[in-house]
């Protein structure tokens, strides 16, 4: 199908982009890599009056550590996330997800900011960001504000950005030498969206107990889900204990809210969440030991 007609603007600065969004109200929409939005336009599931193309705004494409955070510019493309040595070494959970997103064509254009802002529960990065306890910097007419990942994904395709705000940077708490994570996803075929996905990030204490745990679930609810009961239960426990891993995995499965669709029944997906949670936890712990 052909999209309905719209105006197009390609601002060169962030403030120009924000002013354009503010001036056109709900009718204006940000476009970055277009990998999620263009299909929606073609199907006329979205019909904005104005597309504000932020892809030429400088200063929004970087991966760096600063202060207490790994800071990733919202326009950083998935291929750049995938190629980053810093991410591969210190945030393998982000690397895991980056290589599983679509195919190389999608990853060449799709941005991290777009993957998160789209609010699609089937996208992989939201669960990873929940597990990492990330926060997102939004820039709007009143300046910047930080939004925690756990407050960001409010409903399917709905996030807590207002219509005149742009996600500009992703802040991930700095990893310590005793922390690591893992993201696992079951897909029906290569480059597909997840049947279910699980992100687990742990920080281990010297005695082998989990000091901090983050768990995010993909494609098993109306939004990406933070499995807080599983997190709370594992905190202070040793993942070397088989029963502890089993209990953790079944709590994560219980917290999922899948529906039956072309990718499987709700019961099947819940079972997959349990299996992936146990495997991701084991892999995360292995990585801590390897580090
Ligand atoms: C064939 C195919 C396969 C795919 N497979 C996967 C997959 O396996 N896993 C996965 O996670 N994703 C997958 N996707 C989805 C896609 O990769 C991501 O959603 C993509 O990263 C979106 O980024 P973008 O820059 O292209 O966003 P766009 O399409 O430009 O925008 C998406 C939405 O986010 C908003 N937006 C974008 N950037 C910002 C910003 N900085 N601030 C505020 N709002 C913003 C837009 O207004 C729009 O609503 C696939 C897409 C395709 C076409």
């Amino acid at each position: 199908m052909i999209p309905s007609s719209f105006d197009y603007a390609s601002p060169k600065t962030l403030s120009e982009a924000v002013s354009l969004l503010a001036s056109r109200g709900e009718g204006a929409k940000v476009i970055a890599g277009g990998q999620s939005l263009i299909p929606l336009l073609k199907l006329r599931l979205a019909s904005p009056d104005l597309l504000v193309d932020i892809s030429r705004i400088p200063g929004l494409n970087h991966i760096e550590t600063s202060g207490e955070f790994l800071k990733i510019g919202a326009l950083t493309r998935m291929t750049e996330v995938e190629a980053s040595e810093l991410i591969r070494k210190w945030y393998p959970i982000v690397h895991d997800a980056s290589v599983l997103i679509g195919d190389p064509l999608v990853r060449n254009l799709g941005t991290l900011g777009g993957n998160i802002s789209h609010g699609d529960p089937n996208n992989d990065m939201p669960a990873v960001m929940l597990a990492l306890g990330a926060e997102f910097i939004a820039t709007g007419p009143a300046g910047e504000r930080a939004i925690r990942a756990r407050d960001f994904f409010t409903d399917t395709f709905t996030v807590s950005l207002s219509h005149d705000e742009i996600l500009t940077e992703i802040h991930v708490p700095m990893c310590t030498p005793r922390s690591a994570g893992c993201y696992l996803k079951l897909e029906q075929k290569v480059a597909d969206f997840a049947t279910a996905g699980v992100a687990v990030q742990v920080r281990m204490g010297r005695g082998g107990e989990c000091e901090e745990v983050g768990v995010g679930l993909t494609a098993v609810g109306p939004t990406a889900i933070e499995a807080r009961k599983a997190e709370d239960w594992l905190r202070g426990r040793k993942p070397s204990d088989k029963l502890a891993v089993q209990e953790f995995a079944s709590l994560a499965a219980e917290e999922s809210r899948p529906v039956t669709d072309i990718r499987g029944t709700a019961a099947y997906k819940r079972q997959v969440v349990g299996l992936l949670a146990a495997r991701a936890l084991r892999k995360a712990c292995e990585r801590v030991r390897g580090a």
Side-chain angles (χ1 to χ4, degrees):
M1 271 175 75
I2 298 168
S4 54
S5 63
F6 51 81
D7 294 334
Y8 172 83
S10 178
K12 300 287 180 295
T13 65
L14 191 56
S15 57
E16 201 189 327
V18 168
S19 304
L20 277 164
L21 290 171
S23 68
R24 294 289 279 263
E26 302 281 346
K29 203 146 184 56
V30 169
I31 186 163
Q35 293 307 289
S36 289
L37 187 54
I38 290 176
L40 292 185
L41 296 177
K42 287 172 79 174
L43 292 167
R44 298 206 179 192
L45 292 172
S47 304
D49 309 325
L50 168 68
L51 278 191
V52 178
D53 183 349
I54 60 170
S55 64
R56 290 180 186 81
I57 298 176
L60 297 180
N61 182 339
H62 51 266
I63 301 174
E64 63 197 26
T65 49
S66 163
E68 306 151 51
F69 298 107
L70 166 74
K71 297 184 175 177
I72 310 178
L75 285 184
T76 306
R77 300 192 185 275
M78 232 40 92
T79 36
E80 294 165 322
V81 172
E82 187 182 338
S84 162
E85 269 311 310
L86 176 67
I87 286 181
R88 189 193 291 260
K89 182 169 178 198
W90 288 102
Y91 304 88
I93 186 173
V94 180
H95 180 79
D96 291 342
S98 69
V99 297
L100 292 170
I101 290 175
D103 53 37
L105 295 177
V106 171
R107 300 202 289 270
N108 275 336
L109 286 169
T111 63
L112 181 60
N115 195 290
I116 292 167
S117 305
H118 193 44
D120 185 342
N122 300 308
N123 275 6
D124 295 295
M125 285 299 179
V128 170
M129 294 299 146
L130 285 169
L132 285 165
E135 61 180 36
F136 307 136
I137 305 303
T139 305
E144 284 188 351
R145 69 182 176 114
I147 309 163
R148 295 186 308 173
R150 59 164 55 167
D151 301 324
F152 192 76
F153 306 104
T154 50
D155 205 344
T156 309
F157 298 115
T158 310
V159 296
S160 59
L161 290 174
S162 65
H163 70 88
D164 50 8
E165 282 183 315
I166 295 174
L167 171 63
T168 44
E169 207 170 50
I170 292 98
H171 288 185
V172 177
M174 202 71 102
C175 270
T176 66
R178 303 190 66 78
S179 58
C182 174
Y183 180 68
L184 294 176
K185 159 181 177 178
L186 178 73
E187 45 189 12
Q188 282 186 328
K189 56 183 168 50
V190 172
D192 198 5
F193 285 96
T195 300
V198 179
V200 177
Q201 178 76 14
V202 290
R203 191 180 77 222
M204 310 287 285
R206 300 214 170 268
E209 76 287 3
C210 283
E211 280 179 352
E212 199 44 73
V213 192
V215 184
L217 311 179
T218 300
V220 286
T223 64
I225 292 173
E226 183 182 2
R228 294 194 199 178
K229 284 186 196 148
E231 290 174 349
D232 291 344
W233 194 84
L234 194 63
R235 211 169 281 120
R237 289 194 158 85
K238 291 190 179 178
S240 53
D241 174 353
K242 237 180 175 180
L243 287 178
V245 176
Q246 267 172 21
E247 183 60 21
F248 165 78
S250 46
L251 282 171
E254 262 174 39
E255 288 181 273
S256 68
R257 290 194 279 147
V259 291
T260 298
D261 61 17
I262 50 162
R263 291 195 170 84
T265 62
Y268 168 67
K269 292 181 190 181
R270 202 168 282 119
Q271 211 175 348
V272 171
V273 169
L275 286 170
L276 295 183
R279 283 185 203 166
L281 174 61
R282 282 194 210 103
K283 185 74 192 170
C285 296
E286 254 175 59
R287 283 174 168 169
V288 172
R289 286 195 291 273

